[in-house]
Amino acid sequence: MLLDVRWALGDPHGHDHYLQGHLPGAVFVDLATELADPAVPERGRHPLPSPLRFQDAARRWGINNGDVVVAYDDSGNMAAARVWWMLRNAGLAEVHLLDGGLAAWRAAGLPLEQGEVLPPAGNVTLADGQMPVLDAAAVTAWTENQQVRDGAAPDRLLLDARAAERYRGEIEPIDPRAGHIPGAVSAPTSENMDSSGRFLPPAGLRRRFEALGISDDVEVGVYCGSGVTAAHQVAALELAGFRAALYPGSFSEWSSNPLLPVVTGSGPRGDGPAEWKDQAGQG
């Protein structure tokens, strides 16, 4: 099965782009309505749908038990990684990303198809809980215990997969507060890829994450704005040989709760003690 997950923040026309040209036989997946529940502050902008609702969507796409699924988009798999993670979390064994996405397909001179693909309903049976996840309470516990003891490196590390300027709090185009979760390390998802939108080689990815403090002995958690591009980071970490937990609610959930701290600046704990106050004045 081929799944086309054409979506990008600020571009609501993914389906139109799909109709104009997609991989032959690819089925369109609507990220906003099929890979997420409606946004609510306490769950973020793209809450995960219930397992049953997700199974219904997967069957609409025509997926059967035992199928091999390949997902792609036109943005370096930043969106397609969401369905990759969700299907893996649901227990599907063979789920892959087309490295480089639609751009790589075009660059290879391969044909595109126009119009809608409507496959027969599938019979896939999906589960839940096959990938590690974090909620806000777990993230709080991680960051509170993320201390260096006796000069040793921390045994847990939280990565912020958003653009560095959003991490620092210089801009925030969509979420309630600017900045990042205290203790998180900036690790923009864009740095997982080369200029063509393909993943860096596994050895290069491993060097990137090791430079951020990750090793085989460190537990890793990842968040972004709404849990979408963080899935791309989980995939990159897997290519590098590291298993990571996803915080699905991500910063859109965290920053909506005035009781949870947000810091600004380039360091994990902010630029100084004053940065521990969030923008609503809460300590």
Side-chain angles (χ1 to χ4, degrees), residues 90-114:
L92 207 63
E94 291 283 344
V95 190
H96 306 275
L97 293 170
L98 174 62
D99 197 17
L102 186 62
W105 186 267
R106 287 177 173 140
L110 296 168
L112 295 176
E113 176 180 88
Q114 294 184 329

Side-chain angles (χ1 to χ4, degrees), residues 198-230:
R198 290 177 170 86
F199 280 103
L200 297 176
L205 287 170
R206 191 169 182 93
R207 287 192 297 271
R208 158 170 157 74
F209 292 123
E210 287 177 340
L212 295 172
I214 296 173
S215 70
D216 293 330
D217 299 324
V218 174
E219 289 185 80
V220 184
V222 185
Y223 74 91
C224 58
S226 65
V228 174
T229 57

